[in-house]
Amino acid sequence: MADLPARLLAAARRRLERTGGVLEGSIGLNAPTDDERRAIIGITGIYRPEGVKRLTVSLAALDAAIPGGLLQALGGRIRDRAAERAAEEAARKDLLATPSRHAGTPWFSDWLAAMSSDGTLTRLIRRGDGHLVRQACAVLDLLPASFVPLPVLAEAATGDTKALGRGSPLATLVLRALTLRTPGEPERMSSRRESDEGANEERSGRDHEHAPRELWESAGVILDDLASQVLVLNLRTLGDTVVSRWLNDAAAHGIPFRLTLQQQVEYEIMPDVEEIFVCENPAVLRAAAAELGTTSAALICTEGIPSAACHKLLMGCPRPRWRADFDWTGLRILASARLRHGAIAWRMGAADYSAGLELGESTPLTGSPAVSLWDPALAGRMAAAGRAVMEERLIPVLLSDLTRTR
């Protein structure tokens, strides 16, 4: 018989793909063309008038009318979509059950659930990349680490030193998990709120640029020990290494100094301070250097999420007095510092927040709420006010603290 209309063959293919190739049932065409109407009349032997709204034909009749059969007309192979869906579902369940020492933790469960709900798992399976989920779990099982270089981590987890390279599919999966493991990262990196002094634009750009690095470093992974830095003021040290001399010279003149992780690893740093303060924003340290100079107490600036260089330096320091912005991420930063370094809250109470709030307009609080175990009233007051207070607004009182404790 003459070539069958393409729409009729397409409808037959869809039906067979749904049923696994079984030649049962019928297919139909809505608003058939005259060619389609005549073709179906030829197959069924039943007259259909012009203008008919819908025509149907059984697959068995269509198969019998085609020399060589319907399957040959369709190219000889039909996808079994039901079997494919079953195989995909089995693969999804298998990946979601990948063993991990983090299994059951909220962030790990949320990571798997998110990949399942947004289609990531399905896309990976269809591309033949489901193994990346298992590799990601293997990477996460080695975290948190203690200042391990990224290629070393990649080799240990996958056997390939380049597997976690920038932008690689595996790195993308792991960083997505680390974002959930480190609450507050998305809101801090995607939208730093505008500060009283207009410094937000500069900080926001830095957070976007270094977001992957900060996520890796939050888990103790080092991308570049030269890029991992911490800003310090008046940090005196013991010892006579070249880096110790640099720090002591800077402190003798009240000059801010950037200390890299590489310098700390290569040369042992032994801080010689009785008390040390930690702030989040460079404007605070800049003001301390300009107004107090050598009379300022030792001060570390995290410049957002603390870097690996910052964490390593604090390992040799007395319990720090620590503060951050009055926003939800700032509360999480301090909570983490309390756990990791035994930090003492510095001007991070409900009264301090209220005092800062009274000094002028503030931007809205954004992101997921956090708790403030060091002062439970703080989080409640912030939630009620719905406003963030950037650290720069408190500079006068912070400088007073830094001077008093000299």
Side-chain angles (χ1 to χ4, degrees):
M1 65 179 297
D3 290 341
L4 289 172
R7 199 157 68 113
L8 189 62
L9 288 175
R13 179 183 293 277
R14 290 194 296 272
R15 171 76 181 192
L16 290 173
E17 287 179 348
R18 288 197 300 270
T19 63
V22 178
L23 291 169
E24 295 179 353
S26 301
I27 57 173
L29 295 179
N30 293 321
T33 67
D34 200 46
D35 286 344
E36 291 169 344
R37 182 181 66 87
R38 286 196 295 268
I40 291 178
I41 290 174
I43 293 169
T44 63
I46 302 173
Y47 177 74
R48 313 295 173 90
E50 293 184 12
V52 65
K53 300 297 184 183
R54 178 176 173 81
L55 293 175
T56 61
V57 59
S58 72
L59 288 176
L62 185 60
D63 181 62
I66 300 174
L70 179 57
L71 290 179
Q72 182 173 320
L74 293 174
R77 183 174 181 179
I78 296 295
R79 293 176 60 184
D80 188 342
R81 292 188 179 274
E84 289 177 1
R85 287 194 297 270
E88 281 184 4
E89 184 59 27
R92 282 163 52 86
K93 289 181 178 179
D94 185 51
L95 291 178
L96 290 172
T98 300
S100 170
R101 73 183 187 87
H102 300 299
T105 60
W107 66 267
F108 187 82
S109 298
D110 289 346
W111 174 63
L112 292 177
M115 289 194 296
S116 179
S117 63
D118 69 7
T120 297
L121 282 182
T122 299
R123 289 191 295 273
L124 289 172
I125 291 167
R126 289 178 179 175
R127 292 202 313 254
D129 287 337
H131 66 282
L132 292 177
V133 176
R134 295 188 182 90
Q135 288 187 342
C137 290
V139 173
L140 293 169
D141 278 352
L142 298 176
L143 301 178
S146 181
F147 310 114
V148 61
L150 185 66
V152 174
L153 174 67
E155 198 280 332
T158 71
D160 180 1
T161 59
K162 299 180 180 179
L164 292 170
R166 183 175 182 179
S168 71
L170 179 58
T172 299
L173 289 177
V174 175
L175 287 171
R176 183 174 180 178
L178 293 182
T179 300
L180 295 171
R181 176 184 172 274
T182 312
E185 289 290 299
E187 60 210 52
R188 176 58 55 97
M189 294 175 182
S190 64
S191 176
R192 278 285 272 163
R193 276 70 62 205
E194 187 171 345
S195 72
D196 298 345
E197 296 187 354
N200 179 67
E201 183 176 349
E202 174 187 350
R203 293 207 301 270
S204 179
R206 183 179 66 248
D207 288 334
H208 278 295
E209 178 184 354
H210 297 306
R213 176 181 62 80
E214 292 183 346
L215 279 172
W216 284 120
E217 290 191 353
S218 73
V221 182
I222 308 305
L223 274 67
D224 183 344
D225 58 3
L226 290 174
S228 183
Q229 303 176 3
V230 58
L231 183 61
V232 303
L233 177 67
N234 294 350
L235 181 69
R236 298 185 180 275
T237 66
L238 300 172
D240 193 37
T241 68
V242 60
V243 177
S244 291
R245 292 196 297 270
W246 290 344
L247 286 165
N248 290 336
D249 285 346
H253 295 84
I255 299 173
F257 187 90
R258 284 197 176 276
L259 182 65
T260 70
L261 179 62
Q262 185 272 342
Q263 290 167 344
Q264 296 185 66
V265 172
E266 189 72 18
Y267 302 94
E268 183 180 5
I269 305 299
M270 297 181 289
D272 184 22
V273 292
E274 294 182 359
E275 188 170 31
I276 193 160
F277 290 77
V278 179
C279 64
E280 180 179 350
N281 302 320
V284 177
L285 188 141
R286 187 181 298 118
E291 299 188 29
L292 303 180
T294 59
T295 67
S296 172
L299 179 63
I300 290 176
C301 178
T302 65
E303 299 183 273
I305 304 296
S307 66
C310 177
H311 286 307
K312 184 166 180 58
L313 179 61
L314 285 167
M315 289 169 61
C317 292
R319 291 179 65 187
R321 297 186 62 187
W322 198 305
R323 65 156 296 103
D325 288 331
F326 282 116
D327 57 13
W328 298 130
T329 302
L331 267 57
R332 293 187 179 96
I333 289 175
L334 180 52
S336 176
R338 281 161 50 86
L339 289 173
R340 187 163 184 171
H341 301 291
I344 303 167
W346 172 33
R347 297 283 181 179
M348 282 292 286
D352 304 301
Y353 170 73
S354 295
L357 200 60
E358 292 173 358
L359 294 177
E361 289 298 318
S362 300
T363 54
L365 273 173
T366 60
S368 303
V371 297
S372 52
L373 296 180
W374 60 93
D375 185 348
L378 171 60
R381 194 165 300 179
M382 288 172 58
R387 313 298 289 183
V389 173
M390 296 296 107
E391 197 174 35
E392 292 91 332
R393 182 174 292 186
L394 304 179
I395 283 179
V397 69
L398 299 182
L399 295 185
S400 175
D401 289 345
L402 292 170
T403 304
R404 244 192 344 261
T405 56
R406 171 79 168 69

